[in-house]
């Protein structure tokens, strides 16, 4: 009988989750077209707070404690796309501090729910305004901190403890895990700390290592690096990276090559990372992977390339990994017809429906779980009615016994339906909406889907 290989010893129990920050694993990717190169990803999603930002959170809080600006029982205030806030909460709450975080309204709801579950005071502000506007998230955070006794505005964008965390921990870990042989590291820029910290470290420890920037289309950073051009900032759906200004912590002179990655490519790359490598990463991880793949394919000789899984994709299940959201954002490869079919994110097979013999309790639960206000009623695949919140309320409000929600959907649904055919133009929606109805779209006698006002608004925004 052959001896089984011995596993390395497991680490002893940690005193707290603070001791689990850093020392994250590295994985080589296979199943991707990497040209002549080998591509590795460092799983920063394995940090206890689920992202690379745990590192800078600990560094910035400890620096504020050391210089006396953050005292016991004080308040930490920050402007964040979510992950820095989660990192600050992960560290700060264990140290007994209060947290007040200002986040833009485009952030995934999972991040906001996570923060509030930790007892954080979350203020949501506009994502369509720039620096200098009072509702811009950084300006708002700074103003709030100034009005709170014992508060410290951490300001990851200018705080030197941010890049120092990567210079002293992330960089040395990467070089050690790669056996001292790294040709390029692909990063994104939110605050600039990762780029600057890693760039400084590798400039000294491994001068051959090139820093490569993957930047969302609409951000001003990649055009500055590649063309010396300062563009008018656009908008992008990827969270956590891309900027409309150059943060103080962002040293773009460290960048050797920059790529502009459209949202559709980022989302597709993140989803491929899950299906091909079993790694659930966030939207920015998709941007970095897309940039790393471009870099690898452009090389003419073998290179060892590293990029990061910046955070866990569990915070983006309602977005990046939601087929309906991806379609609504126009980020999926989808044939456009110039008619009502273009507005239906869910097909008949994906739509949330109810049957006539289901109870009103079933209808209520499906509305709540799917966050919709109406359900098509299908009988043997045929549309026979529609039940909405008003129908539900009227039906249960008329009963005084325990059978309110035990009634059948058939007794409450609306059977007189105004339907549209899939080939009709968008103008056909307006009379429907004027009657305060939802548009029911058919293809012949087959139910295709529903169109609401917000579906039309989303479509018009994509076309703008």
């Amino acid at each position: 009988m052959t001896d089984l290989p011995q596993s390395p010893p497991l680490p002893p129990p940690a005193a707290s989750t603070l001791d689990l920050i850093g020392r994250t694993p590295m994985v080589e990717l296979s199943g991707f077209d990497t040209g002549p190169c080998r591509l590795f990803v460092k799983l920063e999603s394995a940090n206890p707070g689920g992202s690379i930002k745990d590192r800078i959170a600990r560094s910035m809080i400890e620096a504020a404690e050391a210089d006396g600006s953050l005292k016991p029982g004080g308040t930490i205030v920050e402007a964040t796309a979510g992950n820095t806030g989660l990192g600050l909460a992960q560290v700060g709450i264990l140290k007994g501090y209060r947290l007040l975080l200002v986040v833009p309204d485009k952030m995934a709801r999972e991040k906001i729910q996570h923060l509030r579950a930790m007892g954080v005071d979350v203020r949501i502000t506009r994502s369509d305004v720039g620096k200098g506007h009072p509702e811009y998230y950084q300006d708002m955070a700074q103003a709030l901190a100034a009005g709170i006794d014992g508060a410290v505005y951490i300001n990851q964008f200018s705080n030197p403890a941010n890049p120092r965390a990567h210079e002293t921990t992330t960089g040395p870990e990467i070089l050690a895990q790669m056996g001292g042989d790294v040709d390029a590291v692909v990063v994104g820029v939110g605050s600039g700390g990762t780029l600057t910290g890693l760039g400084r470290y590798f400039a000294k420890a491994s001068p051959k290592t090139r820093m490569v920037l993957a930047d969302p289309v609409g951000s001003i950073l990649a055009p500055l690096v590649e063309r010396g051009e300062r563009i008018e900032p656009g908008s992008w759906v990827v969270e956590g990276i891309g900027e409309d200004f150059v943060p103080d912590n962002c040293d773009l002179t460290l960048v050797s090559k920059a790529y502009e990655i459209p949202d559709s490519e980022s989302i597709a790359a993140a989803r491929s990372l899950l299906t091909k490598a079993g790694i659930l990463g966030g939207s920015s991880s998709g941007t970095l992977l897309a940039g790393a793949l471009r870099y690898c394919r452009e090389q003419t000789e073998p290179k060892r390339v590293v990029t990061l899984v910046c955070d866990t994709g569990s915070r983006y299940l309602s977005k990046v990994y939601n087929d309906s959201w991806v379609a609504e954002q126009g980020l999926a490869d989808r044939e456009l017809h110039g008619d009502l079919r273009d507005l239906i994110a869910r097909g008949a097979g994906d739509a949330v429906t109810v049957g006539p013999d289901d109870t009103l309790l079933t209808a209520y639960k499906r509305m709540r779980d799917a966050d919709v206000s109406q359900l098509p009623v299908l009988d043997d695949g045929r549309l026979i009615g529609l039940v909405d919140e008003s129908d539900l309320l009227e039906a249960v409000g008329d009963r005084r016994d325990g059978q309110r929600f035990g009634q059948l959907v058939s007794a409450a649904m609306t059977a007189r339906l105004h339907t549209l055919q899939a080939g009709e133009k968008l103008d056909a929606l307006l009379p429907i909406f004027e009657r305060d109805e939802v548009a029911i779209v058919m293809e012949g006698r087959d139910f295709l889907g529903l169109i609401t006002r917000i579906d039309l608004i989303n479509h018009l925004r994509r076309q703008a």
Side-chain angles (χ1 to χ4, degrees), residues 21-39:
I21 295 174
R23 301 183 64 81
T24 55
M26 184 88 75
V27 176
E28 181 172 6
L29 294 184
S30 59
F32 291 85
D33 176 9
T34 58
C37 300
R38 295 174 68 185
L39 178 58

Side-chain angles (χ1 to χ4, degrees), residues 191-237:
S191 64
T194 307
L195 165 65
T196 301
L198 292 181
R200 288 172 179 168
Y201 173 76
F202 283 109
K204 293 179 287 187
S206 175
K208 76 165 187 173
T209 303
R210 298 289 174 258
M211 297 303 300
V212 178
L213 172 64
D215 203 34
V217 169
S219 169
I220 71 166
L221 304 175
L224 272 175
V225 172
E226 287 296 304
R227 305 187 296 275
E229 176 186 358
R230 183 174 287 273
I231 66 167
E232 191 68 25
S235 62
W236 54 94
V237 302

Side-chain angles (χ1 to χ4, degrees), residues 306-359:
V306 174
T307 192
L308 307 165
V309 176
C310 312
D311 67 347
T312 172
S314 62
R315 292 172 182 157
Y316 306 86
L317 296 178
S318 64
K319 289 189 171 186
V320 175
Y321 299 98
N322 180 341
D323 291 343
S324 297
W325 181 86
V326 172
E328 287 165 1
Q329 297 295 316
L331 299 175
D333 290 332
R334 191 179 181 202
E335 181 184 1
L336 296 179
H337 304 276
D339 55 35
L340 297 182
R341 287 172 291 179
D342 298 342
L343 276 70
I344 298 175
R346 294 183 177 93
D350 302 318
V352 181
T353 65
V354 71
D357 296 329
D358 287 323
T359 65

Side-chain angles (χ1 to χ4, degrees), residues 254-270:
L254 296 167
V255 179
S256 299
K257 178 69 178 175
Y259 296 96
E260 297 175 76
I261 310 294
D263 285 328
S264 57
E265 188 177 347
S266 295
I267 300 304

Side-chain angles (χ1 to χ4, degrees), residues 53-389:
K53 299 296 189 177
D54 285 10
R55 295 178 185 267
I56 69 169
R58 180 173 62 182
S59 177
M60 293 188 298
I61 288 175
E62 289 176 352
E65 290 172 329
D67 67 21
S69 58
L70 182 60
K71 295 179 170 54
T75 300
I76 297 167
V77 181
E78 181 59 330
T80 171
N83 283 327
T84 299
L86 286 162
L88 289 168
Q90 184 75 30
V91 177
I93 287 172
L94 292 179
K95 287 174 168 282
Y97 301 114
R98 291 182 58 248
L99 272 294
L100 190 161
L101 303 175
V102 182
V103 302
D105 56 17
K106 74 172 186 176
M107 295 304 106
R109 65 185 180 186
E110 289 91 343
K111 292 182 183 178
I112 294 169
Q113 289 167 339
H114 189 163
L115 287 168
R116 286 178 170 157
M118 298 179 79
V120 174
D121 183 355
V122 180
R123 310 288 177 89
I124 301 174
T125 189
R126 294 167 60 179
S127 58
D128 62 341
V129 294
K131 199 168 179 63
H133 191 285
E135 293 184 73
Y136 185 64
Y137 72 134
Q138 294 174 41
D139 294 282
M140 181 180 284
Q142 188 169 9
L144 286 169
I148 300 172
D149 290 339
V152 173
Y153 175 40
I154 286 290
N155 193 7
Q156 61 181 310
F157 299 92
S158 300
N159 195 319
N162 174 353
R164 185 162 63 243
H166 298 297
E167 187 173 0
T168 57
T169 70
T170 320
E173 287 176 28
I174 290 173
L175 196 61
Q177 287 170 305
M178 294 294 291
D181 187 6
V182 184
D183 292 297
V185 179
V186 182
V187 299
V189 165
S191 64
T194 307
L195 165 65
T196 301
L198 292 181
R200 288 172 179 168
Y201 173 76
F202 283 109
K204 293 179 287 187
S206 175
K208 76 165 187 173
T209 303
R210 298 289 174 258
M211 297 303 300
V212 178
L213 172 64
D215 203 34
V217 169
S219 169
I220 71 166
L221 304 175
L224 272 175
V225 172
E226 287 296 304
R227 305 187 296 275
E229 176 186 358
R230 183 174 287 273
I231 66 167
E232 191 68 25
S235 62
W236 54 94
V237 302
V238 167
E239 298 183 27
I241 59 172
E243 279 300 350
D244 52 7
F245 72 107
V246 181
D248 292 340
N249 272 334
C250 178
D251 185 355
L252 292 177
T253 64
L254 296 167
V255 179
S256 299
K257 178 69 178 175
Y259 296 96
E260 297 175 76
I261 310 294
D263 285 328
S264 57
E265 188 177 347
S266 295
I267 300 304
R271 291 167 73 113
S272 292
L273 186 63
L274 178 59
T275 57
K276 293 182 178 181
I279 298 171
L280 184 63
S283 55
S284 61
S285 303
T287 306
L288 269 58
L289 175 59
L293 290 172
R294 285 198 198 183
Y295 181 84
C296 288
R297 292 165 187 163
E298 288 179 2
Q299 303 311 303
T300 57
E301 58 186 45
K303 293 190 183 297
R304 291 159 60 86
V305 180
V306 174
T307 192
L308 307 165
V309 176
C310 312
D311 67 347
T312 172
S314 62
R315 292 172 182 157
Y316 306 86
L317 296 178
S318 64
K319 289 189 171 186
V320 175
Y321 299 98
N322 180 341
D323 291 343
S324 297
W325 181 86
V326 172
E328 287 165 1
Q329 297 295 316
L331 299 175
D333 290 332
R334 191 179 181 202
E335 181 184 1
L336 296 179
H337 304 276
D339 55 35
L340 297 182
R341 287 172 291 179
D342 298 342
L343 276 70
I344 298 175
R346 294 183 177 93
D350 302 318
V352 181
T353 65
V354 71
D357 296 329
D358 287 323
T359 65
L360 296 184
L361 180 61
T362 297
Y364 160 72
K365 287 180 176 178
R366 291 182 185 173
M367 283 184 191
R368 182 190 60 188
D369 292 345
D371 194 23
V372 296
S373 57
Q374 63 281 311
L375 295 173
V377 183
L378 300 185
D379 187 14
D380 196 23
R382 292 293 180 183
L383 179 71
I384 63 168
L386 188 77
V387 60
D388 65 15
E389 292 170 333

